[in-house]
Amino acid sequence: MTDLPFLDQVVLVTGAGGGLGRSHALLLASLGARVLVNDPGLAVDGSGGAARPAEETVELIRAQGGEALADFHGVETEAGADAMVETARRELGGLHAVVNNAGILRDVTFRKQSVADWAQVLAVHLDGSRHVTKAAWETFCSQGYGRVVFTTSASALYGNFGQSNYAAAKLGLVGLMNALKEEGAKFGIKLNAIAPMARSRMTEGILPPEILERLDPREVSPVVAYFASRACAVSGQCWAVGAGRVARAAIVESQGWKAPAGGWSIDEIAANLERITDLESALPLANLMEASAKLFS
Ligand code: NAD
């Protein structure tokens, strides 16, 4: 690999005014990418708005000799997403990868959750990633090349108290990725997700300080750079990454139990619980066709 794997490439990073997004943008720019730094500068709950965070990331990139431009649109509207892609193409000369990183939190127990808490979190994470990916899709298809990085969360993969809106949105992204990897393959488009763990204003208050200290966002960004690069050899995968550890997280299916022909009882299901739930030789499945083939194997 060359020293500058993103030379002549343009990457759009959403929510790049701070935290993980800024770290991704700085690394990608140092690897030669021209970066569109998107961020409307919102508070963790999605309120407010400021130009400074995105501008500051751009200044940091320029200070290290890189090329970047700020964009202040919100990802949650199709018009905002279209405008970002248009700016990348017009001002930076194209688009090769999109890093869907923008996010907010409205943590609240399900009992107390309002429709607004639910809808706003889904709008930013799920609709936002959809809109930005969709805005880039035609460019990727017609040039026969594209990379999309989604940002999911261990909270969604495994569950966390008070985050039902966030978990639904973040796992929705995995479903979106699973479907799009099928549609994107013939156009040279690869889509993958990270489930990061990093110190940021989002996790300050949630994780204890001694853990936060060990969670430098810069130990997440190399995976984003890999997924966003030409070198990326996988599509439709989700990697958990933090504190310098990288591991694949996958939805798997157990070998299962073949029920007797002609129907079976609740008691028989109970009696075969171990075989149904045993993940010892469980495997991920490539797509719906493989899942349906497994039923008859
Ligand atoms: P952060 O709050 O520092 O960064 C989020 C950024 O997104 C902010 O700069 C914010 O202004 C921007 N943003 C919010 N709404 C937006 C919108 N509508 N359009 C465009 N930008 C918007 O937090 P972070 O920890 O750096 O989070 C980055 C991503 O990583 C988020 O998607 C988050 O859910 C995800 N994540 C983070 C962790 C972690 O450990 N930090 C864990 C799992 C997932």
Side-chain angles (χ1 to χ4, degrees):
M1 194 194 283
T2 66
D3 286 335
L4 295 175
F6 290 92
L7 199 65
D8 294 328
Q9 290 200 8
V10 178
V11 183
L12 161 58
V13 184
T14 69
L20 281 162
R22 173 174 287 177
S23 169
H24 304 336
L26 282 165
L27 178 63
L28 289 160
S30 76
L31 297 174
R34 298 193 294 280
V35 181
L36 188 67
V37 174
N38 159 263
D39 206 309
L42 307 181
V44 176
D45 69 358
S47 60
R52 201 60 208 131
E55 286 172 354
E56 217 173 80
T57 301
V58 168
E59 283 165 15
L60 289 168
I61 288 173
R62 289 182 182 157
Q64 71 182 18
E67 207 179 317
L69 204 62
D71 174 278
F72 309 105
H73 289 93
V75 294
E76 72 282 9
T77 68
E78 200 166 23
D82 286 347
M84 285 172 214
V85 168
E86 181 49 30
T87 302
R89 285 163 52 92
R90 198 185 54 238
E91 306 291 329
L92 296 175
L95 189 62
H96 302 87
V98 160
V99 180
N100 288 305
N101 166 80
I104 62 165
L105 287 181
R106 295 268 180 99
D107 290 0
V108 59
T109 60
F110 195 48
R111 287 184 87 176
K112 294 183 182 155
Q113 187 183 77
S114 67
V115 172
D117 292 332
W118 170 261
Q120 196 52 29
V121 168
L122 263 83
V124 175
H125 294 277
L126 185 54
D127 297 3
S129 298
R130 179 268 173 201
H131 294 331
V132 174
T133 304
K134 171 76 169 150
W137 201 248
E138 212 36 61
T139 301
F140 289 174
C141 289
S142 52
Q143 72 195 12
Y145 178 86
R147 297 285 183 261
V148 180
V149 185
F150 294 102
T151 308
T152 183
S153 169
S155 171
L157 297 172
Y158 309 117
N160 191 30
F161 188 93
Q163 292 198 312
S164 56
N165 49 3
Y166 183 72
K170 287 301 205 188
L171 211 51
L173 294 176
V174 177
L176 176 65
M177 172 187 77
N178 285 341
L180 292 184
K181 75 161 190 325
E182 298 294 310
E183 295 187 29
K186 67 170 182 277
F187 297 109
I189 304 171
K190 290 182 176 163
L191 310 96
N192 293 284
I194 57 163
M197 203 67 96
R199 183 174 61 238
S200 77
R201 61 181 195 171
M202 223 182 234
T203 43
E204 269 157 11
I206 298 179
L207 295 169
E210 63 277 14
I211 299 284
L212 284 172
E213 206 174 298
R214 300 169 61 190
L215 293 175
D216 191 325
R218 287 174 299 184
E219 292 197 289
V220 171
S221 300
V223 170
V224 170
Y226 173 74
F227 281 160
S229 75
R230 203 169 274 284
C232 178
V234 297
S235 190
Q237 295 205 4
C238 172
W239 291 5
V241 49
R245 171 183 175 269
V246 186
R248 182 178 176 189
I251 295 173
V252 297
E253 200 169 292
S254 71
Q255 288 306 314
W257 166 64
K258 184 75 183 155
W264 63 94
S265 67
I266 289 174
D267 285 346
E268 278 173 298
I269 294 175
N272 285 285
L273 203 57
E274 216 175 296
R275 287 180 67 183
I276 295 168
T277 60
D278 178 20
L279 292 180
E280 181 71 25
S281 45
L283 288 171
L285 297 163
N287 51 29
L288 176 70
M289 294 313 286
E290 206 173 291
S292 58
K294 199 173 175 203
L295 295 180
F296 306 107
S297 65

mmCIF file of all heavy atoms in Angstrom, residues 175-191:
data_model
loop_
_atom_site.group_PDB
_atom_site.id
_atom_site.type_symbol
_atom_site.label_atom_id
_atom_site.label_comp_id
_atom_site.label_asym_id
_atom_site.label_seq_id
_atom_site.Cartn_x
_atom_site.Cartn_y
_atom_site.Cartn_z
ATOM 1 N N GLY A 175 -29.256 -3.523 9.482
ATOM 2 C CA GLY A 175 -30.188 -4.058 8.483
ATOM 3 C C GLY A 175 -30.026 -3.347 7.148
ATOM 4 O O GLY A 175 -30.011 -3.983 6.085
ATOM 5 N N LEU A 176 -29.885 -2.033 7.208
ATOM 6 C CA LEU A 176 -29.684 -1.240 5.987
ATOM 7 C C LEU A 176 -28.417 -1.700 5.262
ATOM 8 O O LEU A 176 -28.415 -1.943 4.054
ATOM 9 C CB LEU A 176 -29.587 0.243 6.376
ATOM 10 C CG LEU A 176 -29.295 1.244 5.267
ATOM 11 C CD1 LEU A 176 -30.434 1.305 4.267
ATOM 12 C CD2 LEU A 176 -29.061 2.637 5.863
ATOM 13 N N MET A 177 -27.347 -1.866 6.035
ATOM 14 C CA MET A 177 -26.076 -2.316 5.462
ATOM 15 C C MET A 177 -26.210 -3.720 4.847
ATOM 16 O O MET A 177 -25.727 -3.964 3.742
ATOM 17 C CB MET A 177 -25.001 -2.332 6.554
ATOM 18 C CG MET A 177 -23.703 -2.967 6.121
ATOM 19 S SD MET A 177 -22.554 -3.147 7.493
ATOM 20 C CE MET A 177 -23.223 -4.567 8.358
ATOM 21 N N ASN A 178 -26.882 -4.619 5.571
ATOM 22 C CA ASN A 178 -27.031 -5.992 5.076
ATOM 23 C C ASN A 178 -27.707 -6.018 3.708
ATOM 24 O O ASN A 178 -27.291 -6.752 2.805
ATOM 25 C CB ASN A 178 -27.857 -6.823 6.058
ATOM 26 C CG ASN A 178 -27.077 -7.200 7.307
ATOM 27 O OD1 ASN A 178 -25.841 -7.158 7.306
ATOM 28 N ND2 ASN A 178 -27.776 -7.539 8.367
ATOM 29 N N ALA A 179 -28.758 -5.212 3.560
ATOM 30 C CA ALA A 179 -29.470 -5.186 2.276
ATOM 31 C C ALA A 179 -28.628 -4.509 1.198
ATOM 32 O O ALA A 179 -28.515 -5.013 0.075
ATOM 33 C CB ALA A 179 -30.803 -4.460 2.444
ATOM 34 N N LEU A 180 -28.008 -3.385 1.540
ATOM 35 C CA LEU A 180 -27.261 -2.630 0.525
ATOM 36 C C LEU A 180 -26.000 -3.339 0.048
ATOM 37 O O LEU A 180 -25.550 -3.121 -1.071
ATOM 38 C CB LEU A 180 -26.924 -1.226 1.047
ATOM 39 C CG LEU A 180 -28.120 -0.286 1.237
ATOM 40 C CD1 LEU A 180 -27.640 1.101 1.653
ATOM 41 C CD2 LEU A 180 -28.971 -0.188 -0.021
ATOM 42 N N LYS A 181 -25.430 -4.216 0.884
ATOM 43 C CA LYS A 181 -24.243 -4.952 0.409
ATOM 44 C C LYS A 181 -24.638 -5.863 -0.759
ATOM 45 O O LYS A 181 -23.829 -6.128 -1.649
ATOM 46 C CB LYS A 181 -23.594 -5.758 1.539
ATOM 47 C CG LYS A 181 -24.358 -7.012 1.922
ATOM 48 C CD LYS A 181 -23.491 -7.982 2.677
ATOM 49 C CE LYS A 181 -24.107 -9.357 2.884
ATOM 50 N NZ LYS A 181 -25.534 -9.476 3.104
ATOM 51 N N GLU A 182 -25.892 -6.320 -0.764
ATOM 52 C CA GLU A 182 -26.368 -7.149 -1.878
ATOM 53 C C GLU A 182 -26.538 -6.293 -3.136
ATOM 54 O O GLU A 182 -26.192 -6.708 -4.227
ATOM 55 C CB GLU A 182 -27.711 -7.804 -1.516
ATOM 56 C CG GLU A 182 -27.644 -8.744 -0.321
ATOM 57 C CD GLU A 182 -26.786 -9.975 -0.585
ATOM 58 O OE1 GLU A 182 -27.001 -10.626 -1.615
ATOM 59 O OE2 GLU A 182 -25.901 -10.275 0.243
ATOM 60 N N GLU A 183 -27.099 -5.102 -2.955
ATOM 61 C CA GLU A 183 -27.353 -4.226 -4.110
ATOM 62 C C GLU A 183 -26.080 -3.552 -4.625
ATOM 63 O O GLU A 183 -25.960 -3.258 -5.805
ATOM 64 C CB GLU A 183 -28.375 -3.139 -3.736
ATOM 65 C CG GLU A 183 -29.745 -3.696 -3.412
ATOM 66 C CD GLU A 183 -30.790 -2.591 -3.219
ATOM 67 O OE1 GLU A 183 -30.652 -1.508 -3.818
ATOM 68 O OE2 GLU A 183 -31.747 -2.840 -2.459
ATOM 69 N N GLY A 184 -25.141 -3.318 -3.705
ATOM 70 C CA GLY A 184 -23.941 -2.553 -4.087
ATOM 71 C C GLY A 184 -22.841 -3.401 -4.705
ATOM 72 O O GLY A 184 -21.970 -2.867 -5.403
ATOM 73 N N ALA A 185 -22.884 -4.708 -4.472
ATOM 74 C CA ALA A 185 -21.756 -5.571 -4.871
ATOM 75 C C ALA A 185 -21.400 -5.421 -6.350
ATOM 76 O O ALA A 185 -20.230 -5.265 -6.701
ATOM 77 C CB ALA A 185 -22.069 -7.019 -4.529
ATOM 78 N N LYS A 186 -22.403 -5.437 -7.222
ATOM 79 C CA LYS A 186 -22.090 -5.413 -8.663
ATOM 80 C C LYS A 186 -21.576 -4.046 -9.128
ATOM 81 O O LYS A 186 -21.099 -3.913 -10.248
ATOM 82 C CB LYS A 186 -23.285 -5.877 -9.485
ATOM 83 C CG LYS A 186 -24.502 -4.990 -9.478
ATOM 84 C CD LYS A 186 -25.491 -5.502 -10.552
ATOM 85 C CE LYS A 186 -26.742 -4.655 -10.660
ATOM 86 N NZ LYS A 186 -27.765 -4.986 -9.690
ATOM 87 N N PHE A 187 -21.684 -3.047 -8.277
ATOM 88 C CA PHE A 187 -21.162 -1.715 -8.625
ATOM 89 C C PHE A 187 -19.829 -1.416 -7.928
ATOM 90 O O PHE A 187 -19.371 -0.271 -7.932
ATOM 91 C CB PHE A 187 -22.186 -0.638 -8.228
ATOM 92 C CG PHE A 187 -23.489 -0.743 -8.972
ATOM 93 C CD1 PHE A 187 -24.635 -1.165 -8.318
ATOM 94 C CD2 PHE A 187 -23.561 -0.428 -10.317
ATOM 95 C CE1 PHE A 187 -25.845 -1.257 -8.997
ATOM 96 C CE2 PHE A 187 -24.770 -0.524 -11.003
ATOM 97 C CZ PHE A 187 -25.913 -0.941 -10.340
ATOM 98 N N GLY A 188 -19.265 -2.408 -7.278
ATOM 99 C CA GLY A 188 -17.985 -2.175 -6.590
ATOM 100 C C GLY A 188 -18.152 -1.373 -5.311
ATOM 101 O O GLY A 188 -17.215 -0.710 -4.847
ATOM 102 N N ILE A 189 -19.352 -1.405 -4.748
ATOM 103 C CA ILE A 189 -19.600 -0.648 -3.510
ATOM 104 C C ILE A 189 -19.498 -1.601 -2.322
ATOM 105 O O ILE A 189 -20.155 -2.659 -2.302
ATOM 106 C CB ILE A 189 -20.997 0.015 -3.516
ATOM 107 C CG1 ILE A 189 -21.156 0.913 -4.743
ATOM 108 C CG2 ILE A 189 -21.214 0.796 -2.226
ATOM 109 C CD1 ILE A 189 -22.568 1.449 -4.948
ATOM 110 N N LYS A 190 -18.684 -1.241 -1.348
ATOM 111 C CA LYS A 190 -18.553 -2.045 -0.127
ATOM 112 C C LYS A 190 -19.036 -1.232 1.067
ATOM 113 O O LYS A 190 -18.693 -0.049 1.185
ATOM 114 C CB LYS A 190 -17.107 -2.486 0.071
ATOM 115 C CG LYS A 190 -16.694 -3.515 -0.970
ATOM 116 C CD LYS A 190 -15.290 -4.005 -0.780
ATOM 117 C CE LYS A 190 -14.989 -5.097 -1.810
ATOM 118 N NZ LYS A 190 -13.555 -5.338 -1.949
ATOM 119 N N LEU A 191 -19.843 -1.881 1.895
ATOM 120 C CA LEU A 191 -20.418 -1.204 3.068
ATOM 121 C C LEU A 191 -20.124 -2.017 4.313
ATOM 122 O O LEU A 191 -20.361 -3.237 4.346
ATOM 123 C CB LEU A 191 -21.942 -1.080 2.930
ATOM 124 C CG LEU A 191 -22.470 -0.506 1.607
ATOM 125 C CD1 LEU A 191 -22.849 -1.629 0.653
ATOM 126 C CD2 LEU A 191 -23.678 0.379 1.849
#
